C-alpha cells in the first residue's frame, strides 16, 4: 500500500482521469490522506478546513467580477468593441484576426475569465470572419488564444486567487505586473495570425464588411472602454480596494446595460445574476473542498516531499523553472486555472522559496503558462468553447493552434529571461513586489 502522502495524489489523479468533478477529487484525496495517515479524531477537521478555505474577505471579489463579466456579456458590449476595433484596424489581410485579439484584450479587462471572454467574442466574430473568407477552425483558434490573455489582464480571477493563497502578495502589484505580459501575449497571437492570413489569402473576398466610421464607433464603444479604466484607475488612486472595485464594476456594468445601451432588461439582469451565482458557486465549492486537500497535504508533509523531488532534479534554478513551466503547461491543457492554482501552489511555493524567486513574477509566469495550456489541444478550455461556437471539431484547430502556442511560448520566455517585463510597472507605481 502506498504511503498516505502519495495516496492523496494518486486518488486525486485517478478521480480526475475518470471524470470526477475537481472539487470532489480534491476533497476525496484529502480525506483518504487523513484516514490513512492521521488519527481518527482528525476527521473532525473536515468541516473546519472547508469553512476556513472560503472564510476570506478578498474572495468576495471573485463572484462580483464573475457577475461583472456576465453583465457586460449580456449588454452586447462585444459587438460595440468589434465595431470600434474594425474602424481602427481597417480592411486588410488579417485585419479581422487583429480585431478579435484587440476585443479579447479589452473584454479580459472586464470579465477576468478566459472562457467567458472566448464565448462572447466568438459569437460576434466567427460569423464576420467566416464571411470574410477565414476558415472556421482558424477563427476559433485565434479567438481562443486571444481570450487566454484574460488570465493575465486585470481583473483576473486567477490572480485574485493567487494573491489569497500566497502570503505577502499585493493584489494591486499583481494586477499591474500582469498588464504588460498580457499585452505581449496578445501581440504573440496577432503576429502569426496576420502572417497566416496573408499567406493563405484570407479576408480578400467580396464579402468583407466595410470599415465603420472611427468617431461614431468610438462613441458607441466608449462606455465599454471606460470599464477597465474605472477598475484600474480606482485601484491605483486608492479610491477603493480590489473587493470594492468589483462592486463598482458591477454597478457600472448594470448602468451601462440598462441606461446607456438599453440592451439589458430586468429579466436579463436576473438571468445574469442567476448564471453568475451558479458559476461562482462552482468556483467557491472547489476552493472550499480544496481546503481539505491543502490541510492534509501540508500536515502529512506531502507537498514538501514533492517540492523536494523537484529540488533533487537539479540545483540550477533555470532547469527547475523550466520543469515547473512544463508541469503547468500540461496542467493547463486539462484543468481550469482555479483548480491548477489550488492544487499546485502548495507544492510549488517551497520551490519558489528555495530559489528566492520573486513571488509576483512567479505568479505571472504561472498565469502565462496556464494561458498557453488553455488553447493547446487536445483538452483546452477556451478552444472547446470557441470550437463549439464555430461548429468545428477540436482536431481541425491543431495545425493553427501550433503557431499560436509557439509564439506565446516565445513571449513567456522573454518574461522568464527578463523579469523586469512584468515587474517594472508595479515598481514604477510604487507597489510592493
Amino acid at each position: 500500500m502506498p504511503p498516505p502522502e502519495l495516496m492523496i495524489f494518486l486518488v486525486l489523479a485517478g478521480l480526475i482521469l475518470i471524470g470526477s468533478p475537481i472539487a470532489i477529487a480534491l476533497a476525496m484525496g484529502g480525506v483518504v490522506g487523513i484516514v490513512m495517515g492521521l488519527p481518527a479524531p482528525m476527521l473532525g477537521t473536515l468541516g473546519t478546513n472547508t469553512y476556513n478555505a472560503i472564510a476570506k474577505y478578498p474572495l468576495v471579489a471573485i463572484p462580483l467580477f464573475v457577475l461583472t463579466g456576465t453583465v457586460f456579456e449580456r449588454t452586447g458590449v462585444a459587438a460595440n468593441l468589434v465595431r470600434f476595433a474594425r474602424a481602427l484596424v481597417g480592411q486588410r489581410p488579417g485585419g479581422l484576426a487583429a480585431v478579435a485579439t484587440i476585443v479579447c484584450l479589452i473584454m479580459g479587462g472586464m470579465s477576468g475569465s478566459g472562457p467567458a471572454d472566448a464565448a462572447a467574442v466568438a459569437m460576434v466574430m466567427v460569423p464576420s470572419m467566416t464571411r470574410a473568407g477565414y476558415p472556421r477552425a482558424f477563427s476559433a483558434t485565434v479567438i481562443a488564444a486571444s481570450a487566454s490573455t484574460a488570465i493575465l489582464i486585470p481583473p483576473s480571477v486567477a490572480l485574485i486567487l493567487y494573491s489569497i493563497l500566497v502570503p505577502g502578495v499585493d493584489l494591486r502589484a499583481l494586477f499591474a505586473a500582469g498588464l504588460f505580459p498580457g499585452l505581449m501575449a496578445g501581440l504573440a497571437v496577432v503576429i502569426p495570425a496576420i502572417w497566416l492570413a496573408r499567406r493563405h489569402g484570407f479576408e480578400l473576398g467580396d464579402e468583407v464588411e466595410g470599415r465603420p466610421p472611427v468617431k461614431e464607433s468610438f462613441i458607441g464603444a466608449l462606455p465599454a472602454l471606460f470599464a477597465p479604466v474605472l477598475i484600474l484607475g480606482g485601484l491605483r488612486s486608492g479610491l477603493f480596494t480590489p473587493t470594492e472595485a468589483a462592486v463598482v464594476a458591477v454597478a457600472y456594468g448594470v448602468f451601462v446595460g440598462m441606461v446607456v445601451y438599453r440592451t439589458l432588461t430586468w429579466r436579463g439582469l436576473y438571468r445574469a445574476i442567476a448564471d453568475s451565482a451558479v458559476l461562482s458557486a462552482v468556483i467557491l465549492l472547489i476552493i472550499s473542498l480544496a481546503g481539505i486537500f491543502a490541510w492534509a497535504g501540508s500536515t502529512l508533509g506531502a507537498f514538501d516531499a514533492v517540492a523536494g523531488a523537484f529540488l533533487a532534479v537539479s540545483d540550477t534554478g533555470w532547469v527547475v523553472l523550466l520543469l515547473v513551466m512544463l508541469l503547468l503547461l500540461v496542467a493547463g491543457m486539462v484543468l481550469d486555472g482555479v483548480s491548477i492554482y489550488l492544487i499546485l501552489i502548495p507544492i510549488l511555493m517551497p520551490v519558489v522559496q528555495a530559489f528566492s524567486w520573486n513571488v509576483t513574477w512567479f505568479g505571472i509566469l504561472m498565469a502565462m503558462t496556464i494561458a498557453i495550456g488553455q488553447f493547446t489541444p487536445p483538452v483546452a478550455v477556451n478552444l472547446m468553447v470557441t470550437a463549439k461556437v464555430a461548429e468545428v471539431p477540436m482536431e481541425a484547430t491543431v495545425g493553427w493552434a501550433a503557431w499560436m502556442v509557439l509564439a506565446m511560448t516565445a513571449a513567456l520566455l522573454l518574461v522568464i529571461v527578463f523579469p523586469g517585463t512584468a515587474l517594472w510597472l508595479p515598481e514604477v507605481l510604487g507597489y510592493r513586489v
Side-chain angles (χ1 to χ4, degrees), residues 102-131:
I102 293 171
V103 174
C104 284
L105 287 170
I106 299 173
M107 289 289 292
M110 302 177 197
S111 68
S113 168
D117 192 355
V121 177
M123 292 294 290
V124 178
M125 287 301 305
V126 168
S128 297
M129 294 178 75
T130 302
R131 288 194 297 270

Side-chain angles (χ1 to χ4, degrees), residues 159-378:
L159 293 184
I160 294 172
L161 186 59
Y162 181 84
S163 72
I164 296 170
L165 295 173
V166 180
V169 175
D170 187 341
L171 179 57
R172 297 173 302 168
L174 206 57
F175 277 176
L179 191 58
F180 192 63
L183 296 176
M184 290 173 59
L187 185 63
V189 176
V190 166
I191 291 174
I194 293 177
W195 177 73
L196 288 169
R198 292 180 180 274
R199 180 183 179 186
H200 295 280
F202 301 154
E203 203 166 339
L204 295 176
D206 298 330
E207 297 298 318
V208 179
E209 301 171 14
R211 183 174 186 174
V214 175
K215 182 179 179 180
E216 178 186 331
S217 58
F218 172 71
I219 294 173
L222 190 59
L225 295 171
F226 184 68
V229 176
L230 177 66
I231 296 169
L232 299 180
L235 290 173
R236 175 68 188 99
S237 66
L239 189 61
F240 36 71
T241 66
T243 304
E244 292 165 347
V247 177
V248 172
V250 170
Y252 179 72
V254 172
F255 174 78
V256 168
M258 303 191 79
V259 179
V260 180
Y261 289 149
R262 298 183 181 180
T263 53
L264 185 65
T265 63
W266 286 107
R267 182 180 295 274
L269 178 61
Y270 170 79
R271 289 308 315 162
I273 294 173
D275 292 345
S276 299
V278 171
L279 179 56
S280 299
V282 171
I283 295 173
L284 293 174
L285 180 63
I286 294 172
I287 295 172
S288 176
L289 295 182
I292 301 172
F293 179 82
W295 186 84
S298 60
T299 304
L300 292 169
F303 299 148
D304 291 335
V306 176
F310 269 105
L311 296 174
V313 172
S314 173
D315 57 2
T316 303
W318 293 111
V319 174
V320 176
L321 182 61
L322 290 176
L323 288 175
V324 169
M325 294 299 105
L326 181 60
L327 172 64
L328 289 170
L329 177 61
V330 174
M333 292 167 60
V334 297
L335 296 173
D336 62 280
V338 170
S339 302
I340 294 170
Y341 275 83
L342 291 170
I343 294 170
L344 293 183
I345 281 179
I347 296 172
L348 297 178
M349 278 304 109
V351 179
V352 173
Q353 293 166 1
F355 288 104
S356 299
W357 293 333
N358 183 284
V359 289
T360 302
W361 170 70
F362 184 76
I364 300 305
L365 293 185
M366 280 193 73
M368 207 165 183
T369 309
I370 294 169
I372 297 173
Q374 287 184 334
F375 66 92
T376 304

Side-chain angles (χ1 to χ4, degrees), residues 10 25 28 32 43-44 108 142 205 220 267 292 306 346 349 385 395:
L10 293 177
M28 291 305 300
V32 169
L43 282 173
V142 171
R267 182 180 295 274
I292 301 172
V306 176
M349 278 304 109
V385 173
E395 54 269 23

Side-chain angles (χ1 to χ4, degrees), residues 366-403:
M366 280 193 73
M368 207 165 183
T369 309
I370 294 169
I372 297 173
Q374 287 184 334
F375 66 92
T376 304
V379 184
V381 178
N382 290 359
L383 202 52
M384 287 176 63
V385 173
T386 57
K388 183 176 181 180
V389 174
E391 298 179 342
V392 294
M394 181 78 78
E395 54 269 23
T397 66
V398 173
W400 304 116
W403 292 102

